[in-house]
Amino acid sequence: MNSTRDIEALIDVMARLPGLGPRSARRAVLHLIRKRALLMQPLADLMGQVALTARECLNCGNVGTTEICDICTSAKRANGQICVVEDVADLWAMERGHAFKGRYHVLGGTLSALDQVGPEQLRIPRLIDRVSEEAISEVILALNATVDGQTTAHYIADQLEGRVTLSSLAQGVPIGGELDYLDDGTIAAALNARKTF
Amino acid sequence: MNSTRDIEALIDVMARLPGLGPRSARRAVLHLIRKRALLMQPLADLMGQVALTARECLNCGNVGTTEICDICTSAKRANGQICVVEDVADLWAMERGHAFKGRYHVLGGTLSALDQVGPEQLRIPRLIDRVSEEAISEVILALNATVDGQTTAHYIADQLEGRVTLSSLAQGVPIGGELDYLDDGTIAAALNARKTF
Ligand SMILES: [Zn+2]
Ligand SMILES: [Zn+2]
């Protein structure tokens, strides 16, 4: 079927996106074809635009369309705090929480002996430099509660010890979380960090 | 955050695709930004190309890039059989089975009193015409085993009765299917259609 070659190629590429498989890629492409003027063409244009302009902030690793991102250039956010996250998705999650008013540092992963990821691959040297350059007083390590995440947090804490206040996110029961659905480790952590009235 | 407006717009549009929600759209867009030269730009180009060229076959409703699709124009597939499906995704599923050698007719949905979908909205008149024009001897109704699907199958069967052989796909246990995972209706249908050795 020569004339449907582009459609098949599009399904193949879409199926490689995280969260999509062949079946959902086929459904997404059919949906786009049905709405080709109102949805597919604008999506293609927007995607081409972002492909041309998106870049990683040279300072913190956030994504944006400028060499230094909006958070790094905002004077309002120069409050002496840096929140260290693994991934831009984690930065976005923090921003949705509307609770943190400082700046970020996106590592781009975690230390991993197995995958040969060392500090140089993770913007850790840049983090150390920023602590002096930006007069940082507190570094909040918001890394995932995985073995690699915690190894990375400890490594960074060792590097910065004595220079800044170090903290990490509290562990506990999510707001609205039902105990029955939580894993044992979360329940144990919440119990250990219990507060008296 | 003005400079990330396009990125946020892209996530919003992606999140509206079937099978993707806000979270998977964010992950997909971050993945695309990381691979913007190798993946995002080619995907944008391909999507723009398909948005310009994709169209529905005027004869059968299949998608392709020509007014009449490859299956409708292939002399090899003029074997007197038409397989009626609800959706192009079902046509693709049939083609992956490599078992059917005739042509298709894509209804584009099912009859639905609730949603005010009548025969005219479903290419049913065109199906009736094709039976004469293409000297069709058998119409296979491969509609979903839902109430609306079966209502539609019965309506089409009534319209074509006496003019062609009408058939529908056998119901039963899928190849490799485990009984424990099947719904009761499938097991009952498979039992009723049992074959003696
Ligand atoms: Zn930045
Ligand atoms: Zn066709």
Side-chain angles (χ1 to χ4, degrees):
Chain A
M1 256 170 280
N2 207 32
S3 79
T4 60
R5 203 176 42 198
D6 283 347
I7 297 174
E8 285 165 22
L10 179 59
I11 292 169
D12 285 347
V13 176
M14 293 281 284
R16 280 191 272 142
L17 296 182
L20 284 169
R23 185 163 187 277
S24 42
R26 286 193 295 267
R27 299 197 75 80
V29 168
L30 274 181
H31 181 78
L32 287 168
I33 289 177
R34 269 185 222 113
K35 311 201 165 200
R36 52 196 175 273
L38 280 174
L39 181 60
M40 195 181 210
Q41 190 66 62
L43 176 57
D45 293 345
L46 203 48
M47 200 176 277
Q49 180 66 18
V50 172
L52 275 178
T53 59
R55 54 179 66 202
E56 281 161 7
C57 172
L58 294 176
N59 195 44
C60 77
N62 184 18
V63 296
T65 52
T66 45
E67 288 213 330
I68 306 293
C69 76
D70 298 329
I71 294 177
C72 284
T73 50
S74 166
K76 284 187 194 152
R77 304 197 65 144
N79 68 353
Q81 293 179 320
I82 283 184
C83 176
V84 178
V85 292
E86 288 179 26
D87 201 293
V88 176
D90 300 326
L91 185 161
W92 289 346
M94 290 289 299
E95 286 293 280
R96 288 196 299 277
H98 296 294
F100 180 67
K101 303 297 181 195
R103 291 178 177 161
Y104 292 92
H105 198 76
V106 181
L107 296 178
T110 51
L111 293 172
S112 167
L114 206 66
D115 298 327
Q116 299 192 304
V117 179
E120 305 289 331
Q121 280 80 52
L122 291 183
R123 298 195 189 87
I124 290 178
R126 179 80 205 118
L127 172 64
I128 313 288
D129 291 346
R130 287 184 65 191
V131 165
S132 326
E133 289 170 16
E134 301 180 30
I136 297 303
S137 57
E138 181 178 7
V139 170
I140 299 161
L141 299 166
L143 302 179
N144 291 330
T146 57
V147 171
D148 282 346
Q150 294 311 301
T151 303
T152 309
H154 283 122
Y155 177 86
I156 294 171
D158 281 348
Q159 300 295 307
L160 292 175
E161 211 185 346
R163 298 177 56 189
V164 289
T165 303
L166 287 156
S167 62
S168 62
L169 298 183
Q171 293 193 302
V173 179
I175 305 291
E178 295 179 59
L179 291 190
D180 201 21
Y181 288 89
L182 291 177
D183 67 290
D184 304 348
T186 301
I187 291 180
L191 183 68
N192 288 334
R194 68 189 178 280
K195 294 183 178 175
T196 50
F197 289 98
Chain B
M1 255 169 280
N2 207 31
S3 80
T4 60
R5 204 176 40 200
D6 284 347
I7 297 174
E8 284 165 23
L10 179 59
I11 292 169
D12 285 348
V13 176
M14 292 282 284
R16 281 191 271 141
L17 296 182
L20 283 169
R23 186 164 187 277
S24 42
R26 286 193 295 266
R27 299 198 73 81
V29 168
L30 274 180
H31 181 78
L32 287 168
I33 289 176
R34 269 185 223 112
K35 310 203 165 197
R36 51 197 176 274
L38 280 173
L39 180 59
M40 195 181 210
Q41 190 64 65
L43 176 57
D45 293 344
L46 202 49
M47 200 176 277
Q49 180 66 18
V50 172
L52 276 178
T53 58
R55 54 179 64 202
E56 281 161 8
C57 171
L58 295 176
N59 194 43
C60 78
N62 184 17
V63 295
T65 51
T66 44
E67 288 215 328
I68 305 294
C69 77
D70 298 329
I71 294 177
C72 284
T73 50
S74 166
K76 284 187 194 153
R77 303 197 65 144
N79 69 352
Q81 293 180 319
I82 283 184
C83 176
V84 178
V85 291
E86 288 179 26
D87 201 294
V88 176
D90 300 326
L91 184 161
W92 289 347
M94 289 289 300
E95 286 294 281
R96 288 197 300 278
H98 297 293
F100 180 66
K101 304 298 181 196
R103 289 177 179 162
Y104 291 93
H105 197 75
V106 180
L107 296 177
T110 51
L111 293 173
S112 166
L114 206 66
D115 298 326
Q116 299 191 305
V117 179
E120 304 290 330
Q121 280 81 50
L122 291 182
R123 297 196 189 88
I124 290 179
R126 178 80 204 118
L127 172 64
I128 313 289
D129 290 346
R130 287 184 66 192
V131 165
S132 325
E133 290 170 15
E134 302 180 30
I136 297 303
S137 57
E138 182 177 6
V139 170
I140 300 162
L141 298 166
L143 302 179
N144 291 330
T146 57
V147 172
D148 282 346
Q150 293 310 301
T151 303
T152 309
H154 283 121
Y155 177 85
I156 294 172
D158 281 348
Q159 301 296 307
L160 293 174
E161 211 185 346
R163 297 178 55 191
V164 289
T165 302
L166 286 157
S167 62
S168 62
L169 298 183
Q171 292 193 304
V173 179
I175 305 293
E178 294 179 60
L179 291 191
D180 200 20
Y181 288 88
L182 291 177
D183 67 291
D184 305 347
T186 301
I187 291 181
L191 183 68
N192 288 334
R194 67 190 179 278
K195 294 184 180 175
T196 50
F197 288 98

